[in-house]
Amino acid sequence: MSALILLTVFGILVLYLGFVNNKAILAPVAIVGLVATLVLSVKDWNLGSKYFHDMMIIDNFSIAFNVSMLIITILIFLFGINYYERMEHHVAEQYALMIFALTGAFLMTSFSNLIMLFLGIEILSIPLYILAGGKKSSFRSNEASFKYFLLGSFATTFFLFGIALVYGASATFYLPEIKTFIAQFHGHLPPMLMVGLLFILIGVAFKVAVAPFHFWSPDVYEGSPTLVTAFMATVVKTAGFAAFYRLLGMGLLPLPAPLEKTLWVMTMLSLLVGNLAALRQTNFKRLLAYSAIVHTGFMMLAMLSQHDSSASVLLYYTFVYSLATVPLFIIFIHMKRASQGLEELSIFRGMYKQKPWMAVFMTILLMSLAGLPPTAGFLAKYRVFILSISQGYLAISIFAVLMAVIGIYYYFYVLREAFSESNNPTPLEINKLNAVLIVVCGAAVLLLGIFVWSVPI
Amino acid sequence: MILIIILLLPIITGFFLLLLRNPATVRIVALTSAIANLLLTLGLIISVPATTYTISSTHFMGTQFTLGYDGISLIMLLLTNLLFPFIILSGFTRSHVQIPVLNFLILFTQSSLIGVFLAQNAFLFYIFWELTLIPVYFILLLWGGENRRAVTLKFFIYTLTGSLFLLFGIIYLFTLTPGLHTTDFSAFNQLHIPAATQTWLFWILFIAFAIKMPVFPFHTWQPSTYTMASKQGVMILAGVMTKMGIYGALRFLFPIVPQGVLYWQNTVIIMCLTGVVYASVIAFRQTNIKRLIAFSSMAHISLMAAAIFALNYYSLQGLLFQVISHGVTIVALFYLVHLIQERTGTLELPQMGGLKHVAPNMAILLLMVVLGSIALPLTSGFVGEFLIITGLAKQSIWIAVFGGTTMILGAIYMLYAYQRIMLGEPNPNFVKIKDIRALDYFILVPLIAIIFILGVYPQPILNLVEASVTSMQKLLIPANEVISLLTR
């Protein structure tokens, strides 16, 4: 709990530091805050504390996810030092809003009451609506923000309506009580409860961008400032899945058959739609948006193959995925700068010629996303497949294997561009800090894949 | 301990090469490392009895870093370490484009190939199996010829599709192992999988190997990839990587899904023999020498694949012998083709002819290699293919007849190609062409010597594989009994 309070305090502090008119101190202060939060979070390990009449339960599951999100946010802030250097106004707000969003994410990992989940999702979303519109003069950024806001609120109403219906049927917001209430029907739920649950699932599915509720994500990813996109693709997705898992694991599993089938269909659709759409993309940000949808499918696969280790696999997968995605966005930012603001895949051309080390680390990162050994991404997929095959979902696993192959096509398409000759090589500049961070991330992805095969929860 | 040295020596040298600047030094260091590895391997074969090497501390999720070998691994290990010095030596040209990176990638490939052949754990096997693809992908992408971007991607996706099915199979087997799950081969071998499961599991496992070999109809990546690959790239691909498929099939299929093997035996043999005839006929129609040899390689490999499934003593013995023989021959052949291309500037047969007048020594060496490739008596190809066809004949005379077409059709298209390259009237375009240099002798003479020595005295290799072939035989006996019970 102290971690959550400290995080909020630092958010407000960073917001007020905006008055000092000194951009250089913002990132260090924010990072100090995050590190302090990290330390406080870790200290709660194994305590299993409960707050607000059990509405929040901070157990090992939530701490593990919080720590993973904190690490990724620290990474994004470190990259932000360079990214926000060119921005004149409102830099403090950017950092503060991300910290506030992270506060919401903390609530999403530790709720045990649907109201708390609703609060978490809203606290996460509202800063994101603003962040997506971070480039005030950019038409596309405004579009992204507005689109995200409209669709996001629409999904929220579904979610809220679902909570109301479930409350109407069961007279409680507490997940464990809802679980016992559902159990007494032995799979034949009254319609009100069924519809309520379905709406809740739709609301959460929208947040993690599972097909067919994914339509917002490519547009929003494309339009938002790239660093915000990186934040959305990683931290928000992690938080969404933590909430999803908690919702299912603590309350709703075993789901009634129709709902479970719905989720399986959503899983397969994510894998299929994400891949097929990604094949046709020429814009790198849209490509990563669709590939994120595919990864969502794999995470759903891990989550729905119910097993004790599902949570651990899910955490490993999200963390490894985030660790590879953030530096890729940063590399993209640099290539974009070198090519006068283009976002096509062809901007990667000539990278190997100019910065061989960068091309090598990009190879490692893309290999991790594609799931090739010896990177951590392979191990994450391997563990997902172990889960799903050991739970007997053979046909779906084979389908997922085929989808993984398609993924390799577009990741290696990008890679191929990086190793091709460029027609007009403009000098590619990268500052030391970012270079070091990219190398660290690449090395981490590689070393995690070789030495660290699981995370404790 | 010697195994871990053999495994790591190339890759460590490879990383060291990246620090060097002078191309000449880089090549010498790389060559030294490859030769040292070859000597270590020979030492291993001569002295130490079979061992396994385990680092048990890394045991996690049923995966253990276990290296070890038997006769089959030794053959593959010998082949890899025998060919890599020549592959590196063939890069001693005037080209100075990124020599450290190229040699690093070659040595990286060598290490991962050795890993594939030594791994005693399916997970480890898979990691190395995939790892071979990465350096080869870059060798093809960065040093390949025309249209390399599209072809390389196709090759990569094609082989990875198979690999991922293999991964599925490995995980499935992993979940079947009793108690604390494990991916050790020894545990897989003791599984008793129901016959119905084995029939589909066979294909899940086999597709990866069928693509790698390649067996008809999974071959479509092969001709274009071979054609556009650089000299060293194609030598690695054709010489060693095709053998990975054979090794994998022997390692996975027989011990783990013996009933599946018996069930699909005839289907697969027919597929392979279709490949033999199909590839031979297409090879005859090619005008590009490299494409021609790519198809000829496919025909020979298809025959070897048929030998895997003939399931008797002779065919297995012939198969393992042919692994060495084919590897050596095809590497020499591709080296000569590149030599011809460097000299004449073309690969098209209609533009050639009369080369023997200006390059007589090259003509003689090419003739020897061609004879080895079409399995004339006294060459190693003869011993291998003769044993294979004897084995096939034990299975069925018709299979042997179709298998035998490799030799006949091979003789037709290879000699026809030879005639069109070397013989005929002196070609006015080729007057200034130089004959082969000292470096080419260093590569070709030892390879040709191996071809002929093994053709005359094949016993060392046959002794090496004796034990493995016998044990492989034993694996199938119980499965045979089950099948005969079922069909009665």
Side-chain angles (χ1 to χ4, degrees):
Chain A
M1 196 64 204
S2 49
L4 189 62
I5 294 170
L6 187 75
L7 194 63
T8 324
V9 169
F10 262 96
I12 297 168
L13 183 66
V14 171
L15 193 61
Y16 279 100
L17 274 181
F19 289 124
V20 182
N21 240 349
N22 183 359
K23 276 193 295 184
I25 59 164
L26 289 172
V29 171
I31 289 165
V32 165
L34 291 179
V35 171
T37 316
L38 189 77
V39 173
L40 285 180
S41 295
V42 173
K43 277 176 81 177
D44 282 349
W45 188 257
N46 272 341
L47 287 183
S49 14
K50 300 177 175 180
Y51 299 97
F52 307 131
H53 306 282
D54 293 357
M55 283 170 87
M56 261 181 85
I57 300 179
I58 299 185
D59 50 12
N60 285 358
F61 172 87
S62 46
I63 293 172
F65 270 92
N66 290 351
V67 167
S68 123
M69 289 188 296
L70 278 169
I71 294 172
I72 299 298
T73 315
I74 290 173
L75 196 63
I76 290 176
F77 281 10
L78 285 172
F79 281 123
I81 295 174
N82 174 261
Y83 185 77
Y84 288 124
E85 222 165 42
R86 301 165 179 217
M87 204 163 151
E88 293 299 324
H89 304 291
H90 307 298
V91 181
E93 282 88 332
Q94 305 276 340
Y95 287 115
L97 284 170
M98 279 197 216
I99 293 178
F100 290 144
L102 197 59
T103 318
F106 273 33
L107 291 186
M108 286 167 74
T109 59
S110 48
F111 72 94
S112 126
N113 181 304
L114 288 175
I115 292 298
M116 213 46 148
L117 174 61
F118 178 74
L119 279 179
I121 288 187
E122 283 309 290
I123 295 175
L124 176 81
S125 300
I126 292 169
L128 281 178
Y129 300 148
I130 310 169
L131 281 169
K135 284 184 181 166
K136 275 201 295 188
S137 53
S138 156
F139 179 69
R140 280 194 311 165
S141 179
N142 282 312
E143 182 200 336
S145 171
F146 196 60
K147 195 172 249 172
Y148 194 23
F149 172 64
L150 274 187
L151 289 174
S153 349
F154 194 52
T156 304
T157 52
F158 263 95
F159 183 62
L160 206 53
F161 192 37
I163 294 180
L165 286 174
V166 169
Y167 185 78
S170 65
T172 177
F173 288 126
Y174 283 94
L175 274 178
E177 289 173 22
I178 294 174
K179 190 183 173 93
T180 40
F181 183 74
I182 292 175
Q184 71 188 11
F185 294 103
H186 302 291
H188 301 285
L189 303 189
M192 182 150 98
L193 192 55
M194 188 74 111
V195 173
L197 290 178
L198 182 66
F199 280 7
I200 290 178
L201 290 180
I202 288 177
V204 183
F206 178 87
K207 276 295 149 206
V208 293
V210 183
F213 306 104
H214 67 282
F215 290 101
W216 60 273
S217 87
D219 291 340
V220 173
Y221 278 29
E222 188 192 355
S224 307
T226 310
L227 205 66
V228 175
T229 312
F231 186 77
M232 276 196 243
T234 56
V235 175
V236 176
K237 189 145 275 191
T238 311
F241 264 99
F244 213 152
Y245 184 83
R246 229 176 149 82
L247 190 66
L248 293 180
M250 278 183 70
L252 308 183
L253 286 177
L255 280 172
L259 286 182
E260 192 170 349
K261 256 182 213 152
T262 314
L263 287 181
W264 277 117
V265 169
M266 279 156 68
T267 308
M268 303 199 13
L269 264 183
S270 307
L271 290 170
L272 189 69
V273 172
N275 263 325
L276 294 186
L279 285 179
R280 306 288 306 160
Q281 297 308 316
T282 53
N283 181 304
F284 184 71
K285 278 164 100 174
R286 289 186 83 86
L287 176 74
L288 276 195
Y290 281 110
S291 100
I293 294 169
V294 180
H295 285 288
T296 312
F298 282 109
M299 294 175 203
M300 292 281 286
L301 191 60
M303 195 166 63
L304 293 176
S305 313
Q306 304 143 26
H307 187 265
D308 294 341
S309 64
S310 280
S312 159
V313 174
L314 196 62
L315 175 62
Y316 190 78
Y317 199 111
T318 48
F319 184 65
V320 163
Y321 157 78
S322 310
L323 204 57
T325 306
V326 173
L328 272 178
F329 273 116
I330 304 305
I331 293 176
F332 166 74
I333 290 173
H334 286 281
M335 300 310 291
K336 185 178 166 184
R337 279 181 196 160
S339 59
Q340 285 85 39
L342 287 178
E343 295 190 341
E344 308 302 305
L345 294 181
S346 54
I347 60 171
F348 289 98
R349 275 189 200 158
M351 184 206 267
Y352 176 64
K353 201 87 182 182
Q354 290 194 41
K355 293 263 189 289
W357 63 267
M358 198 152 134
V360 167
F361 280 96
M362 185 156 141
T363 310
I364 295 172
L365 297 171
L366 283 172
M367 270 169 65
S368 179
L369 284 187
L372 295 183
T375 57
F378 164 70
L379 222 55
K381 281 214 174 68
Y382 178 71
R383 298 194 61 196
V384 170
F385 285 135
I386 284 190
L387 264 187
S388 65
I389 292 172
S390 65
Q391 298 300 307
Y393 300 113
L394 293 184
I396 293 174
S397 307
I398 289 195
F399 179 75
V401 161
L402 282 175
M403 292 300 123
V405 174
I406 299 182
I408 289 161
Y409 173 80
Y410 49 79
Y411 292 124
F412 272 71
Y413 187 91
V414 177
L415 198 60
R416 196 177 82 176
E417 295 290 307
F419 281 85
S420 321
E421 300 285 320
S422 166
N423 295 333
N424 52 338
T426 32
L428 175 58
E429 281 161 12
I430 180 163
N431 78 336
K432 284 224 175 67
L433 177 65
N434 282 6
V436 168
L437 286 174
I438 289 170
V439 170
V440 166
C441 288
V445 163
L446 206 56
L447 292 178
L448 281 178
I450 297 172
F451 297 111
V452 186
W453 289 17
S454 80
V455 278
I457 286 192
Chain B
M1 195 60 206
I2 187 168
L3 292 180
I4 202 114
I5 296 174
I6 292 180
L7 174 70
L8 292 182
L9 180 65
I11 183 74
I12 290 172
T13 322
F15 278 115
F16 175 66
L17 290 184
L18 291 177
L19 306 174
L20 300 175
R21 286 268 171 266
N22 184 359
T25 333
V26 167
R27 289 180 182 128
I28 297 286
V29 172
L31 183 65
T32 319
S33 133
I35 290 175
N37 228 11
L38 174 61
L39 294 178
L40 281 173
T41 315
L42 290 175
L44 186 73
I45 290 171
I46 293 165
S47 62
V48 194
T51 52
T52 50
Y53 179 79
T54 309
I55 301 175
S56 48
S57 59
T58 53
H59 197 289
F60 182 73
M61 292 202 324
T63 304
Q64 207 168 9
F65 191 88
T66 318
L67 300 175
Y69 62 88
D70 57 7
I72 304 171
S73 313
L74 268 190
I75 285 285
M76 301 291 173
L77 191 64
L78 179 64
L79 176 79
T80 312
N81 287 335
L82 180 68
L83 292 182
F84 267 85
F86 295 108
I87 291 171
I88 291 168
L89 197 60
S90 72
F92 279 49
T93 51
R94 294 210 185 80
S95 153
H96 286 285
V97 188
Q98 293 181 321
I99 297 299
V101 179
L102 176 62
N103 280 293
F104 162 72
L105 290 173
I106 291 175
L107 289 175
F108 186 1
T109 320
Q110 189 185 6
S111 264
S112 19
L113 281 166
I114 292 170
V116 169
F117 298 140
L118 289 181
Q120 293 295 305
N121 180 299
F123 182 80
L124 202 60
F125 173 91
Y126 181 80
I127 298 275
F128 284 121
W129 175 274
E130 296 276 272
L131 217 52
T132 52
L133 266 184
I134 306 297
V136 168
Y137 172 80
F138 284 108
I139 293 177
L140 296 180
L141 183 67
L142 296 176
W143 284 271
E146 206 178 316
N147 202 13
R148 57 172 186 262
R149 286 162 36 111
V151 172
T152 311
L153 198 57
K154 181 179 171 189
F155 158 74
F156 196 72
I157 301 284
Y158 220 122
T159 39
L160 264 179
T161 315
S163 307
L164 281 169
F165 278 107
L166 177 65
L167 178 65
F168 176 90
I170 291 175
I171 296 175
Y172 183 71
L173 290 168
F174 169 79
T175 58
L176 289 184
T177 48
L180 278 175
H181 298 313
T182 167
T183 50
D184 280 344
F185 280 131
S186 50
F188 280 8
N189 298 351
Q190 282 156 12
L191 290 176
H192 294 288
I193 306 168
T197 314
Q198 289 199 15
T199 46
W200 63 263
L201 193 59
F202 172 84
W203 282 104
I204 296 275
L205 296 173
F206 181 58
I207 280 184
F209 310 131
I211 289 174
K212 206 79 164 191
M213 281 192 239
V215 169
F216 181 86
F218 304 108
H219 66 279
T220 46
W221 62 270
Q222 189 238 27
S224 46
T225 309
Y226 279 20
T227 312
M228 73 84 201
S230 64
K231 177 163 60 185
Q232 288 160 314
V234 75
M235 282 159 94
I236 294 173
L237 275 176
V240 194
M241 285 187 75
T242 50
K243 311 302 182 296
M244 284 167 71
I246 290 166
Y247 177 77
L250 290 171
R251 183 63 71 219
F252 272 87
L253 299 180
F254 290 88
I256 298 168
V257 286
Q259 292 170 43
V261 172
L262 285 173
Y263 187 83
W264 292 108
Q265 185 186 14
N266 284 329
T267 318
V268 177
I269 290 184
I270 288 171
M271 271 165 56
C272 297
L273 293 180
T274 317
V276 167
V277 178
Y278 166 89
S280 303
V281 171
I282 294 203
F284 183 73
R285 298 292 304 158
Q286 294 305 314
T287 55
N288 183 309
I289 325 176
K290 233 174 147 184
R291 251 188 126 73
L292 186 148
I293 292 173
F295 277 108
S296 113
S297 169
M298 182 188 154
H300 287 283
I301 293 280
S302 296
L303 183 68
M304 289 157 80
I308 302 176
F309 291 92
L311 309 177
N312 59 53
Y313 182 82
Y314 295 107
S315 65
L316 285 177
Q317 210 179 20
L319 167 72
L320 292 174
F321 187 83
Q322 186 67 0
V323 163
I324 297 268
S325 159
H326 176 266
V328 172
T329 318
I330 201 81
V331 164
L333 210 49
F334 271 119
Y335 184 75
L336 272 161
V337 165
H338 274 274
L339 213 56
I340 294 171
Q341 188 192 14
E342 278 162 28
R343 298 290 194 277
T344 64
T346 177
L347 280 172
E348 294 296 313
L349 282 170
Q351 297 172 19
M352 292 189 195
L355 208 56
K356 120 188 135 151
H357 299 284
V358 282
N361 294 335
M362 192 199 278
I364 289 170
L365 291 178
L366 181 62
L367 183 65
M368 290 186 189
V369 177
V370 163
L371 292 182
S373 161
I374 61 182
L376 219 68
L378 291 187
T379 63
S380 60
F382 176 74
V383 180
E385 300 212 332
F386 181 79
L387 280 169
I388 288 177
I389 289 168
T390 315
L392 291 179
K394 290 214 178 268
Q395 182 73 16
S396 144
I397 190 69
W398 288 107
I399 292 178
V401 166
F402 279 103
T405 53
T406 351
M407 291 162 107
I408 302 163
L409 294 173
I412 296 175
Y413 61 74
M414 287 306 279
L415 290 176
Y416 184 52
Y418 181 80
Q419 182 191 342
R420 292 208 277 174
I421 300 167
M422 291 294 176
L423 309 181
E425 295 300 308
N427 193 328
N429 299 336
F430 297 161
V431 178
K432 286 180 190 160
I433 285 175
K434 292 199 182 77
D435 206 349
I436 54 182
R437 295 164 301 156
L439 172 67
D440 307 327
Y441 282 115
F442 276 124
I443 295 168
L444 288 171
V445 170
L447 289 175
I448 291 172
I450 293 170
I451 294 176
F452 282 95
I453 290 171
L454 287 183
V456 179
Y457 184 60
Q459 209 53 43
I461 304 289
L462 296 180
N463 286 343
L464 202 59
V465 300
E466 179 68 42
S468 310
V469 172
T470 323
S471 67
M472 199 65 97
Q473 278 276 294
K474 282 190 194 129
L475 283 174
L476 285 163
I477 295 166
N480 260 322
E481 281 165 1
V482 173
I483 293 280
S484 58
L485 276 175
L486 288 175
T487 49
R488 195 174 293 161

